[in-house]
């Protein structure tokens, strides 16, 4: 399952900068408020995380279809 593969990689990663995330996930998008959007399963799903680079933490804020993603405000979710 693609989401499990993302989790396996992300849970082992120690990303301190957006560039480090981008080196692993070239399709990751970055928005204000330290949000990162990952395309899951060939862009069928979107995963939005909030990142605390200073502490090496990533919080899942949203998982949904592309259609559901279009209805949220990524920067505040």
């Amino acid at each position: 399952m693609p989401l499990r593969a993302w989790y396996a990689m992300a849970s082992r990663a120690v990303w301190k900068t957006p560039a480090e995330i981008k080196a692993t996930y070239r399709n990751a998008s970055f928005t204000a408020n330290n949000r990162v959007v990952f395309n899951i399963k060939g862009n069928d799903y979107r995963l939005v995380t909030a990142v605390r680079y200073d502490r090496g933490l990533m919080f899942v804020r949203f998982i949904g279809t592309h259609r559901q993603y279009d209805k949220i405000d990524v920067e505040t979710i």
Side-chain angles (χ1 to χ4, degrees), residues 44 46 62 64-72:
D44 285 347
R46 293 282 177 98
F62 171 84
T65 64
H66 204 303
R67 177 182 276 169
Q68 292 167 325
Y69 169 84
D70 288 341
K71 295 177 183 177
I72 66 167

Side-chain angles (χ1 to χ4, degrees):
M1 172 172 214
L3 187 56
R4 286 185 184 173
W6 175 88
Y7 178 77
M9 174 67 78
S11 64
R12 290 189 309 266
V14 182
W15 292 316
K16 297 291 184 186
T17 66
E20 291 176 357
I21 294 173
K22 197 72 163 173
T24 305
Y25 289 98
R26 285 182 266 171
N27 292 328
S29 301
F30 301 87
T31 68
N33 208 14
N34 289 323
R35 299 298 198 259
V36 182
V37 181
F38 296 92
N39 298 322
I40 305 295
K41 193 181 173 214
N43 207 21
D44 285 347
Y45 299 96
R46 293 282 177 98
L47 168 66
V48 178
T49 63
V51 182
R52 285 286 310 264
Y53 295 103
D54 60 333
R55 298 190 182 242
L57 299 173
M58 183 174 281
F59 303 94
V60 173
R61 304 298 297 159
F62 171 84
I63 301 172
T65 64
H66 204 303
R67 177 182 276 169
Q68 292 167 325
Y69 169 84
D70 288 341
K71 295 177 183 177
I72 66 167
D73 181 354
V74 174
E75 297 172 7
T76 60
I77 195 163

